[in-house]
Amino acid sequence: MSMCESILTIALVCTVKYLHYCDYYYTLGNDSQSTPKLIAYCSFRHFNAIIEINRTTGEIEWVLGGNKDEFGLTEEQKFSHQHSANFAEDGSLLIFDNANQKGYSRAIEMSIDEETKTLVSYAEYAPDLQKSLWMGSAYKLSEAPKIILIGWGGRGGAERNTLLFSEVNVETSEVIFEASCNVDNYRVYKFKD
């Protein structure tokens, strides 16, 4: 089975078994990560959840966030309409939280214990209190010092988002570099020379 077929199967499994709602586009278009241990992580924007699925059995291993959260997230820790859910090299999970039900968007970093389904650590970064209704990204650039690259996504209409991205030292809250432009962005990446 190809990766695309696997992800489509995962979308169907989650839709039928967990969600009873059609959100195929945002399963495929938002975020999916596959691992060598045949586990897939899918971010479901319209369910406010990230789900781990066993690609061999199709069984849902755990649900983080949303109405079926298994990790005990508080209301303040829960995310909504997220993008760019990705596991960093150190095992932490970074999420761009569009926070459609809150006043501002943010990057969230959390560590979870998958065995006990508990939250080990949690931090959020919102240096400019921007609001992005759709799109956006968050990636860890370095650990020491901890630097996060936040792509601010999109906001339409008269209040169009002009801040394109922020590179932030989260230990000092220093904004290292920002760029502004009157366009939306789906992802922002930084490449090494």
Side-chain angles (χ1 to χ4, degrees):
M1 184 181 292
S2 72
M3 182 62 170
C4 184
E5 290 170 326
S6 295
I7 292 172
L8 183 55
T9 301
I10 289 164
L12 292 170
V13 166
C14 287
T15 301
V16 172
K17 288 187 173 183
Y18 168 65
L19 305 161
H20 308 288
Y21 179 81
C22 183
D23 196 25
Y24 307 128
Y25 172 76
Y26 277 108
T27 304
L28 300 173
N30 193 335
D31 263 307
S32 310
Q33 268 186 301
S34 185
T35 67
K37 63 178 186 170
L38 293 178
I39 296 292
Y41 303 96
C42 294
S43 174
F44 289 85
R45 170 179 165 78
H46 288 164
F47 306 128
N48 308 321
I50 298 164
I51 299 174
E52 179 186 86
I53 300 150
N54 183 310
R55 288 181 50 206
T56 304
T57 65
E59 293 298 314
I60 294 172
E61 301 290 333
W62 51 254
V63 178
L64 176 68
N67 293 335
K68 306 268 184 177
D69 175 56
E70 298 177 295
F71 288 82
L73 298 181
T74 66
E75 285 304 311
E76 190 56 38
Q77 293 169 334
K78 286 187 176 181
F79 41 88
S80 71
H81 291 75
Q82 74 281 354
H83 280 84
S84 183
N86 61 88
F87 283 93
E89 288 181 17
D90 65 3
S92 63
L93 176 62
L94 265 80
I95 303 166
F96 181 79
D97 178 16
N98 290 90
N100 288 19
Q101 282 91 31
K102 295 184 180 172
Y104 58 91
S105 300
R106 59 196 176 162
I108 296 174
E109 180 181 20
M110 59 177 73
S111 294
I112 57 174
D113 184 326
E114 297 180 49
E115 296 296 317
T116 62
K117 295 182 182 174
T118 55
L119 183 65
V120 176
S121 66
Y122 173 90
E124 69 175 63
Y125 315 112
D128 296 310
L129 298 180
Q130 294 288 309
K131 183 66 175 174
S132 175
L133 297 177
W134 59 85
M135 303 186 289
S137 56
Y139 296 100
K140 189 181 295 188
L141 298 180
S142 70
E143 187 58 48
K146 188 181 290 187
I147 297 175
I148 303 285
L149 178 64
I150 303 171
W152 290 107
R155 179 174 66 191
E159 297 179 17
R160 191 171 183 91
N161 191 6
T162 60
L163 189 58
L164 188 62
F165 68 85
S166 302
E167 188 174 327
V168 181
N169 180 328
V170 297
E171 294 167 0
T172 64
S173 298
E174 174 193 6
V175 176
I176 299 167
F177 184 74
E178 286 185 321
S180 296
C181 185
N182 195 20
V183 297
D184 296 336
N185 66 81
Y186 192 73
R187 297 277 193 273
V188 173
Y189 298 100
K190 183 175 183 178
F191 297 97
K192 296 179 182 178
D193 293 341

